[in-house]
Amino acid sequence: MPNFRYKARDSFGGPISGQIEAENEEAVASYLKKRNYIPVDIQKARLDLKSFKLFTFFKKIRLEELNLFTRQLSTLQHSGVPILLSLESIKNENLNPVLKEVIQEIMNDIEKGASLSKAISKFPEVFSEV
């Protein structure tokens, strides 16, 4: 299935953007509407996962960014925030485009039923086995 990039608005009018694997634009719009988002723009993504992994070879995620991600996720989880909402919040606040893409892929896998550890294990170049 192809990947699509989307831009949408949440119920407060705030911008939401991300990437999702879907059959077509209508499926992406349906996905967004089920989550009470208003689709603004949906386009087929230019990078697939293979290209993305090549890209991450050239631009690494710094240790400080990974530590911040881990602390933020831990704090949100201990506060009782659902995992997908936690990841979405961290992704939207993050400035590193590589880490944003990694978080989006993790979110996509979790939405498909994978566990967090299984989703993270797809990125051994970012997350160590520990």
Side-chain angles (χ1 to χ4, degrees):
M1 264 192 277
N3 284 327
F4 291 89
R5 291 188 183 274
Y6 63 84
K7 292 181 182 176
R9 297 276 177 192
D10 63 16
S11 58
F12 301 107
I16 302 288
S17 63
Q19 185 171 326
I20 186 171
E21 187 177 298
E23 291 186 23
N24 52 38
E25 289 89 352
E26 291 81 20
V28 176
S30 176
Y31 165 84
L32 294 171
K33 288 176 184 175
K34 284 180 186 175
R35 283 153 182 76
N36 295 323
Y37 296 148
I38 301 167
V40 175
D41 183 39
I42 300 171
Q43 295 181 359
K44 197 168 190 176
R46 287 183 239 148
L47 290 177
D48 60 7
L49 190 56
K50 292 175 187 168
S51 300
F52 174 73
K53 286 186 177 182
L54 179 63
F55 178 66
T56 59
F57 177 76
F58 294 107
K59 182 166 173 45
K60 297 288 183 181
I61 297 170
R62 295 187 342 238
L63 183 59
E64 295 84 17
E65 293 170 320
L66 194 55
N67 284 338
L68 180 60
F69 167 79
T70 305
R71 280 184 285 154
Q72 288 175 326
L73 185 58
S74 175
T75 300
L76 290 168
Q77 289 300 284
H78 285 292
S79 299
V81 178
I83 187 71
L84 287 174
L85 186 57
S86 298
L87 291 168
E88 181 77 29
S89 298
I90 295 168
K91 182 188 76 150
N92 289 339
E93 293 177 10
N94 203 295
L95 299 177
N96 185 330
V98 176
L99 186 54
K100 279 186 171 196
E101 290 293 327
V102 168
I103 294 170
Q104 184 61 52
E105 286 293 325
I106 291 169
M107 290 171 57
N108 292 344
D109 288 347
I110 291 173
E111 287 175 341
K112 292 177 188 174
S115 66
L116 177 62
S117 62
K118 180 74 172 169
I120 286 176
S121 70
K122 286 178 58 177
F123 300 97
E125 67 277 1
V126 177
F127 301 99
S128 69
E129 286 188 36
V130 177

